Amino acid sequence: MLRSMFARLMAMMAAVILLCVLLLLAVFAYAAREAQVQARLEALKVQAYDIAVLSGTTAGFPDGFPVFGQNPGRALLARKIRSVYEEYDAYSIVVDRAGRVTSYFASIMEEDAELRSAFDARDVAGTIALVLTGREVAMSTQGSAGPMFTVAVPWVSDGAVLGAVYIQTAAQSVRASYSGLWRQAALAALASFLLAGALVFFFARRLTRPLERIAGSAAEMAGLPPEAVAEGGGMRELEALSASITGMGKQIAATERTRRDFIANLSHELRSPLTSIQGFIRGMLDGTVPEADRERTLGVVLEETRRMNRLVSGLLDLSRAEAGQPRETHAPFNVCEIARRAAITKIGKLEEKGLNLHTDFERDDIYALGAADQIEQVLINLVDNAIRYTPEGGNISIDIREQGDLVEVTVKDDGIGVAPQDAERVFERFYTGSPAHTAGEGVGLGLAISKAIIEQHGQ
């Protein structure tokens, strides 16, 4: 379950969005509730002061329960108390300093069972007594029937406290006033969650779809098609990833081609001498080769074994060079002396073809840092190539110059040169160029070994 990157991204982002939405909704609900409560308390306080002002227009306080007669002030006060009840679901009490009730609220209590059950005479008396000292009261209390909101203000005339106005309502009425706002907020939160989810879905698909294509391309590259390309998704990181995978795929394809060519060439190079050796030995065993030709035949067999030995030795040298395992540590050596030794090892072939070897050294002794025997092998390979492809009576030269901190060694000849179509491949293993010019000449490892050694020296 949730094994795909897309599913996990969606689940994670949905959980984060839901958590954020719920947190914001809770903060909003709490803030809205507090604001609504404060607004309701302030509104009740305004109503209380209005009732206090109207109470000042009434005349006298009859004994017992007050009866609203024809006094316009009392009639207006009664309507005001009724309107407060109808609008705020609250009951009101107006008393003078003597504790006489000037507003009849018994009918309201009879109409509203919730207010009647929440009425606490002791709490009301205590609050009124506090207000008669000139203080305002606005509070939320826990009554016997649940939370209650209470507002009480002094009734003041000419700087003297004549009485108090007490208004109380149940908390349920306040909650009902913002329940509609809560529903709207919940709907807005749900809409925000769905919209955010849709956006996350879009961007998650946009992120994971290129990764799926890249994964598909990588799977195709396992089959090593040279044209395999990993497509990016427009994002910088994905483009870099796709470019890296594409480059890796091309490199793998090139390496595979090289491996196949290497096996094919190696098989060919080994099959030829082995076939010759097998044929000559069979001829000597079955008497096909005359006794007088046996010595010459054995010479050919010996030369073929030497050819295979050179091939195996070349492969070992190439493998060692490409693996970065020098046969000796780097140390200062005389490049000119190395060049002289390389020329001496080929003196027989030079004389055999009547070639002229010229040396042009900037100084007799020029030193460099490296593996001397490996650099000597490079020079021997280059001189050997020059001898092989230079016609009789031709010229070969070895030039050595200092170029700043480096030593530049150049081997030149006036032979057949390199054909344009062969120029980019002369350093490939087993590549011997045009068969018309190179038939029977070498196995195509000398320059590959030389290139690997020079690269190993950082040059």
Side-chain angles (χ1 to χ4, degrees):
M1 187 177 182
L2 298 181
R3 294 179 60 85
S4 69
M5 180 179 180
F6 172 73
R8 293 185 180 184
L9 277 176
M10 282 297 300
M12 180 185 68
M13 295 305 297
V16 171
I17 292 172
L18 182 60
L19 180 62
C20 292
V21 168
L22 291 178
L23 181 61
L24 289 175
L25 188 59
V27 172
F28 172 79
Y30 177 79
R33 174 185 177 278
E34 292 301 311
Q36 193 72 13
V37 168
Q38 291 301 318
R40 179 57 62 95
L41 290 175
E42 290 298 323
L44 290 176
K45 189 184 294 185
V46 171
Q47 297 297 328
Y49 276 110
D50 288 345
I51 293 174
V53 172
L54 289 174
S55 297
T57 65
T58 61
F61 294 96
D63 295 333
F65 289 108
V67 178
F68 297 108
Q70 301 300 317
N71 189 318
R74 286 185 175 275
L76 185 60
L77 180 60
R79 284 196 298 271
K80 181 65 177 177
I81 292 174
R82 169 62 62 174
S83 68
V84 169
Y85 165 68
E86 292 175 350
E87 182 176 356
Y88 297 97
D89 197 21
Y91 66 86
S92 305
I93 302 174
V94 181
V95 298
D96 63 2
R97 291 193 62 82
R100 291 178 298 181
V101 179
T102 63
S103 296
Y104 185 74
F105 65 96
S107 62
I108 293 177
M109 290 295 186
E110 293 177 358
E111 295 177 12
D112 197 316
E114 183 179 3
L115 291 178
R116 184 170 62 252
S117 62
F119 181 76
D120 187 341
R122 182 178 299 178
D123 182 67
V124 172
T127 302
I128 290 176
L130 181 64
V131 173
L132 289 175
T133 64
R135 297 177 58 181
E136 290 183 356
V137 174
M139 60 183 179
S140 173
T141 59
Q142 184 66 32
S144 59
M148 302 292 291
F149 292 106
T150 303
V151 172
V153 300
W155 163 19
V156 182
S157 179
D158 296 328
V161 178
L162 302 181
V165 177
Y166 181 94
I167 300 178
Q168 190 174 64
T169 183
Q172 287 80 357
S173 65
V174 179
R175 293 195 184 100
S177 66
Y178 63 81
S179 60
L181 182 63
W182 172 262
R183 284 193 296 271
Q184 294 177 1
L187 291 175
L190 178 60
S192 300
F193 175 76
L194 295 177
L195 177 60
L199 291 176
V200 168
F201 178 86
F202 172 76
F203 284 106
R205 289 302 299 170
R206 188 181 178 191
L207 176 65
T208 56
R209 190 167 294 166
L211 291 177
E212 292 174 358
R213 290 199 299 266
I214 291 175
S217 298
E220 291 179 5
M221 288 176 187
L224 302 174
E227 68 280 358
V229 176
E231 298 181 3
M235 299 182 185
R236 183 175 60 187
E237 293 82 358
L238 291 179
E239 290 292 347
L241 176 62
S242 65
S244 299
I245 292 180
T246 298
M248 179 182 67
K250 293 180 179 179
Q251 183 63 38
I252 291 175
T255 302
E256 177 64 12
R257 286 195 298 270
T258 301
R259 184 187 68 83
R260 290 173 179 173
D261 292 343
F262 171 78
I263 293 175
N265 291 328
L266 179 61
S267 300
H268 173 74
E269 293 296 334
L270 288 175
R271 184 171 61 248
S272 295
L274 286 174
T275 301
S276 298
I277 292 172
Q278 184 180 17
F280 285 124
I281 291 178
R282 181 181 293 111
M284 287 187 292
L285 290 176
D286 60 16
T288 304
V289 176
E291 187 69 29
D293 294 336
R294 287 194 175 187
E295 184 175 353
R296 181 179 62 82
T297 301
L298 289 174
V300 173
V301 171
L302 178 61
E303 183 58 33
E304 291 296 329
T305 59
R306 288 173 177 171
R307 179 182 172 188
M308 287 194 298
N309 185 63
R310 289 195 301 270
L311 174 61
V312 174
S313 298
L315 288 173
L316 290 175
D317 290 339
L318 179 60
S319 175
R320 187 183 296 112
E322 290 181 339
Q325 300 174 353
R327 285 172 292 184
E328 65 178 54
T329 58
H330 290 193
F333 65 94
N334 190 337
V335 182
C336 298
E337 180 62 27
I338 292 295
R340 295 188 190 99
R341 291 212 305 260
I344 291 173
T345 60
K346 298 298 178 180
I347 193 67
K349 289 187 176 181
L350 289 168
E351 292 178 348
E352 182 180 339
K353 295 187 67 174
L355 301 176
N356 302 307
L357 178 64
H358 307 279
T359 58
D360 185 4
F361 302 162
E362 188 174 22
R363 294 198 314 273
D364 288 340
D365 299 308
I366 300 176
Y367 287 87
L369 184 66
D373 65 334
Q374 288 188 331
I375 300 301
E376 181 177 357
Q377 182 179 3
V378 171
L379 287 172
I380 290 174
N381 290 343
L382 295 179
V383 172
D384 187 60
N385 265 18
I387 293 173
R388 184 177 297 119
Y389 299 112
T390 301
E392 294 184 4
N395 298 287
I396 299 174
S397 66
I398 303 176
D399 300 338
I400 301 178
R401 296 283 184 272
E402 286 185 309
Q403 300 288 343
D405 294 335
L406 302 177
V407 178
E408 182 181 84
V409 181
T410 306
V411 178
K412 297 185 291 187
D413 63 69
D414 54 6
I416 61 176
V418 180
Q421 65 270 20
D422 298 330
E424 295 182 358
R425 302 189 60 188
V426 292
F427 292 106
E428 294 181 13
R429 62 184 75 183
F430 295 115
Y431 188 77
T432 56
S434 174
H437 296 150
T438 62
E441 297 286 347
V443 293
L445 290 176
L447 290 181
I449 295 172
S450 300
K451 179 175 181 290
I453 292 174
I454 294 301
E455 287 180 344
Q456 189 183 50
H457 281 73
Q459 305 300 325

